[in-house]
């Protein structure tokens, strides 16, 4: 019997991950905001044999989120996937404070609170896997999404540091860095989306790779190559290229 928590399970990658993991002997805890979409994902997962509970909840309520997590059973896998896209409009210079706060709370604060909240019980049992869904933007100073990129860069640093910290407790930490995956979030992006992958394919790859317990996963893999090449460029040249995108 496996118990798996997935945040952001009402849409996109999270919904696909839920369906990918749904099977006999699996208990899924599916969290999101939209109760109706969450129920539809839960019904699909039950039809595949999984036991499912749902929680419609805004994880910007940090104290409430920690309290909910304190009440969950010990998890085999906790996937903190919920995220808020953040392309800043081109016709204004700066991002609005309330937008900055929302992106930071959903993409950075919540998964870090979540990882810490579940790590105690996992480490007491000496096993468990925490999966944090970041973004390949963590490696690029994107002028069209400065706050979004910064939250994902921060999450990347947390995943690495927390992974080292959890090693001696038997808990694995994996950072998943998607490129472009076809979901409601990416459909709002108007720029070109190279190597766009459908969410079910991405979820199948993530599930298969997570099972091996690596520190990082990039999906689609082409973005690992793009990042490798970008890292070879002088930073000033990278900034110049990005300023023209
Ligand atoms: N799609 C891509 O190309 C791409 C690329 C890089 C990284 N990512 C990352 O992948 C993850 C999943 O994104 P996606 O593309 O699947 O996006 P999505 O289809 O927009 O789904 C986002 C999920 O996060 C949930 N969520 C957002 N704000 C929330 C809040 N305040 N409280 C609780 N849940 C909240 C949404 O819940 P409701 O819908 O119920 O509100 C939804 O289930 C995110 O972390 C994103 O940054 C995606």
């Amino acid at each position: 019997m496996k118990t798996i928590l997935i945040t952001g399970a009402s849409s996109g990658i999270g919904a696909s991950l839920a369906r990918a993991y749904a099977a006999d002997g699996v208990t899924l805890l599916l969290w999101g905001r939209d109760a109706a979409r969450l129920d539809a994902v839960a019904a699909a997962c039950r039809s595949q044999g999984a036991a499912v509970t749902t929680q419609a909840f805004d994880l910007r309520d940090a104290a409430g989120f920690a309290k909910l997590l304190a009440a969950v059973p010990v998890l085999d896998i906790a996937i903190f996937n919920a995220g808020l896209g953040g392309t800043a409009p081109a016709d204004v210079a700066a991002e609005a404070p309330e937008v900055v706060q929302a992106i930071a709370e959903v993409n950075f604060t919540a998964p870090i609170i979540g990882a810490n909240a579940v790590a105690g019980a996992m480490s007491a049992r000496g096993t468990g896997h925490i999966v944090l869904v970041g973004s390949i933007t963590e490696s690029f100073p994107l002028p069209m999404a400065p706050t979004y990129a910064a939250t994902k860069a921060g999450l990347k640093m947390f995943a690495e540091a927390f992974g080292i910290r959890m090693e001696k407790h038997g808990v694995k930490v994996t950072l998943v860095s998607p490129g472009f995956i076809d979901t409601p979030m990416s459909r709002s992006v108007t720029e070109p989306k190279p190597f766009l992958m459908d969410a079910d394919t991405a979820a199948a790859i993530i599930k298969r790779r997570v099972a091996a317990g690596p520190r990082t996963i990039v999906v689609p893999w082409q973005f690992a190559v793009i990042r490798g090449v970008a890292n070879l460029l002088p930073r000033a040249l990278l900034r110049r290229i990005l300023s023209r995108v």
Side-chain angles (χ1 to χ4, degrees):
M1 195 77 186
K2 246 188 175 163
T3 305
I4 303 171
L5 166 74
I6 303 174
T7 69
S10 51
S11 176
I13 297 170
S16 291
L17 281 170
R19 291 189 296 265
Y21 278 104
D24 288 331
V26 174
T27 298
L28 292 171
L29 283 60
L30 304 181
W31 293 10
R33 262 182 319 189
D34 187 298
R37 277 191 279 111
L38 210 48
D39 284 347
V41 176
C45 293
R46 285 189 191 106
S47 74
Q48 293 175 218
V52 184
T53 66
T54 59
Q55 183 71 55
F57 180 71
D58 189 333
L59 45 72
R60 291 184 64 191
D61 171 4
F65 186 43
K67 205 168 156 188
L68 277 177
L69 285 165
V72 300
V74 185
L75 301 165
D76 296 288
I77 309 176
I79 305 178
F80 296 101
N81 156 80
L84 203 52
T87 306
D91 56 343
V92 294
E95 298 178 275
E98 61 277 12
V99 173
V100 170
Q101 188 174 359
I103 296 172
E105 286 175 356
V106 176
N107 293 357
F108 180 73
T109 310
I112 292 177
I113 286 175
N116 277 287
V118 301
M122 284 181 176
S123 59
R125 200 172 60 167
T127 179
H129 198 155
I130 294 168
V131 178
L132 299 157
V133 179
S135 165
I136 199 67
T137 59
E138 70 214 5
S139 302
F140 297 93
L142 292 183
M144 69 291 276
T147 303
Y148 180 80
T151 60
K152 297 296 189 176
L155 190 64
K156 178 185 184 215
M157 177 61 80
F158 170 77
E160 189 169 7
F162 201 58
I164 300 167
R165 186 180 175 88
M166 284 296 117
E167 245 167 28
K168 62 174 175 289
H169 300 288
V171 179
K172 291 179 191 149
V173 178
T174 295
L175 176 72
V176 178
S177 303
F180 288 113
I181 312 298
D182 189 19
T183 69
M185 183 188 290
S186 66
R187 278 173 219 140
S188 66
V189 174
T190 52
E191 288 84 8
K193 287 171 263 188
F195 307 112
L196 183 70
M197 178 179 269
D198 73 81
D200 286 350
T201 304
I205 293 169
I206 293 167
K207 182 189 166 192
R208 176 171 51 78
R209 299 276 323 273
V210 160
R215 286 186 182 279
T216 60
I217 296 170
V218 176
V219 59
W221 62 266
Q222 288 90 339
F223 280 90
V225 177
I226 293 170
R227 181 176 62 189
V229 172
N231 284 342
L232 295 174
L233 299 176
R235 201 70 177 171
L237 178 58
L238 180 62
R239 282 198 296 272
R240 203 175 167 84
I241 294 167
L242 288 172
S243 74
R244 286 162 190 226
V245 173

